[in-house]
Amino acid sequence: AGVVRLPARRAAFVRHVGPYGEVGEAWGRLFAAAGRAGLFGPGMEMFGIVHDDPEITEPAKLRYDAAIALGCEFSGAGEVGVVELPAREYASCRHVGPYELLGETYAALCGQWLPWSGREPGDAPALEFYRNDLRSVRASELITDIFVPLR
C-alpha cells in the first residue's frame, strides 16, 4: 500500500443501488449505452466509484457507479451520467483475486495501513480500477487497484 495522486478525469457512469455483488447489471447497461454512443476505444479505463461502506450502509442502499473514463466529448444520455473526478491523493493497494474478496483488501488498507500511515480518510468515494476481466482470466487472477481518498 502507498499514497498516490490520481489526475482529474471525466467519466461516463451508470448508478447501481443495492448489494455490491449485483453491480454486473449496471455494467451491462453502461456497456450497451457506451457502445451506442461510440465511447469504446483502445486502453479504455473501467472503474467503479464506490460511495458507501458496506459495514455501515445496509445492502439495499449501497451506491456504486460503473464508470468508463471519457477521452471524447460526451454529455450523458438517458441513464448514463457524466462525472468529473478532481485530482486528489489516495491510499492505494492492489487486490488480486475474486471481486467477492475485495472487502478483505479494503479491511487491510483501511483498518491496518491507514491508521499506521498517520493519514485520514477523505470525504469522497473510493475507486476500483479493473485491470482485467473474467472474459480473459480466471477469478483468482483478477487484478483490481483500490484507491481510498485521503484528506
Side-chain angles (χ1 to χ4, degrees):
V3 175
V4 297
R5 182 168 182 82
L6 291 182
R9 57 177 39 83
R10 223 170 141 257
F13 74 94
V14 168
R15 169 76 42 100
H16 165 81
V17 178
Y20 285 144
E22 299 172 5
V23 301
E25 187 258 339
W27 282 104
R29 294 186 345 250
L30 177 62
F31 287 153
R36 288 191 301 272
L39 300 179
F40 289 112
M44 181 182 69
E45 278 187 316
M46 298 186 314
F47 59 99
I49 303 171
V50 183
H51 294 273
D52 301 302
D53 179 346
E55 300 292 317
I56 298 169
T57 305
E58 63 183 82
K61 294 184 178 175
L62 293 170
R63 295 167 300 150
Y64 171 95
D65 298 332
I68 56 172
L70 289 170
C72 61
E73 284 304 312
F74 177 74
S75 56
E79 68 174 329
V80 181
V82 173
V83 63
E84 304 270 351
L85 299 171
R88 70 177 306 143
E89 284 190 330
Y90 292 86
S92 174
C93 69
R94 175 160 280 185
H95 170 85
V96 178
Y99 299 138
E100 296 81 45
L101 299 180
L102 281 165
E104 295 176 12
T105 303
Y106 275 100
L109 181 62
C110 297
Q112 297 169 12
W113 184 86
L114 198 56
W116 169 86
S117 75
R119 299 291 301 264
E120 303 258 334
D123 187 20
L127 304 176
E128 297 174 356
F129 283 82
Y130 309 109
R131 304 305 186 190
N132 55 14
D133 63 62
L134 287 170
R135 292 171 301 188
S136 57
V137 299
R138 295 189 300 255
S140 62
E141 299 169 335
L142 289 169
I143 297 171
T144 307
D145 290 331
I146 296 171
F147 297 89
V148 173
L150 296 171
R151 284 195 206 284

